[in-house]
Amino acid sequence: MVKDLTPVNPSDESSLSPREIAELKEKIAQFARENEIFKKGNDPIGEKIVKSSIFETINTLITQYPVKAVYKTLGIPRSSYYDFQKPQRSPRAMDNKLIKEHILKTHLESNHRYGSSKIHEYMKKKEKLHKIPGLKRIQRFIKHMGLFAVVIKRLNRKNSKTTKEDLPNLLK
């Protein structure tokens, strides 16, 4: 005879009530959902995870699972998801974007010859910005954008074959 493997044994005094059985079934279902969400929400190990891909995954998971369970399982606060949905740019971020556009325009106009100091001077004289950024800020943006000035190294040639003693004295 096959032994019954149910968690409830009617002969036990410590048997579970039907309400407790329903709660346990709900917890098991919740763990199964969280396990599925976790599998679908994480990229393979070693790959770089981009925020936009996480939120795209969340958008697909929300159609299948409860919103609260998705956020709780992935460990992402709901506020950051809504911030991603409707990004608001700060005035400083908008200024940075405008300055980067001016830097790139100036760099291209100079045929990649201007470095940070010349771009700074050019922006002081020519550009119509309400506030001219400092040199350090421009240097930081140029480094972040991956721009660099073309530098032609001066070549100083020294002729090592002739010496002063070998040359004739033309002043005599």
Side-chain angles (χ1 to χ4, degrees):
M1 183 171 171
V2 178
K3 190 175 182 180
D4 189 17
L5 299 176
T6 60
V8 178
N9 191 351
S11 64
D12 285 347
E13 292 177 8
S14 64
S15 65
L16 300 173
S17 68
R19 191 175 128 248
E20 291 173 333
I21 293 172
E23 287 176 1
L24 286 174
K25 285 182 179 179
E26 179 58 35
K27 281 189 177 183
I28 290 170
Q30 179 183 353
F31 289 140
R33 274 195 312 264
E34 288 178 0
N35 192 21
E36 283 295 315
I37 291 169
F38 189 70
K39 286 178 184 176
K40 292 180 181 178
N42 287 328
D43 288 340
I45 297 173
E47 289 186 16
K48 187 175 182 181
I49 298 175
V50 182
K51 276 189 176 182
S52 60
S53 68
I54 291 173
F55 292 120
E56 288 169 7
T57 306
I58 289 174
N59 281 335
T60 59
L61 290 173
I62 285 176
T63 59
Q64 300 168 2
Y65 303 103
V67 176
K68 191 174 183 180
V70 172
Y71 291 121
K72 183 180 176 185
T73 305
L74 294 178
I76 298 174
R78 280 189 262 176
S79 60
S80 61
Y81 173 73
Y82 293 120
D83 287 345
F84 179 76
Q85 290 293 336
K86 296 179 183 177
Q88 296 176 350
R89 297 191 67 140
S90 66
R92 176 84 173 184
M94 290 187 288
D95 279 348
N96 288 347
K97 184 179 178 185
L98 183 66
I99 291 168
K100 285 181 180 181
E101 288 172 1
H102 283 285
I103 288 172
L104 186 62
K105 184 183 88 169
T106 307
H107 188 70
L108 292 175
E109 284 177 1
S110 70
N111 292 328
H112 310 284
R113 289 189 186 120
Y114 283 6
S116 56
S117 58
K118 284 191 178 181
I119 289 175
H120 182 248
E121 290 298 320
Y122 183 83
M123 288 177 78
K124 274 185 184 177
K125 293 178 184 176
K126 303 284 183 181
E127 300 297 334
K128 303 292 186 220
L129 295 173
H130 68 278
K131 185 177 177 185
I132 304 298
L135 179 62
K136 293 282 188 178
R137 191 171 177 195
I138 291 175
Q139 288 172 347
R140 200 171 44 246
F141 288 148
I142 288 175
K143 185 177 182 179
H144 182 263
M145 293 166 64
L147 302 177
F148 54 90
V150 176
V151 178
I152 299 173
K153 189 176 179 181
R154 292 183 183 170
L155 184 62
N156 293 331
R157 294 187 181 184
K158 293 183 179 177
N159 192 350
S160 63
K161 293 180 182 176
T162 59
T163 60
K164 291 182 182 178
E165 291 111 21
D166 294 344
L167 297 175
N169 188 356
L170 301 175
L171 296 176
K172 287 185 182 178

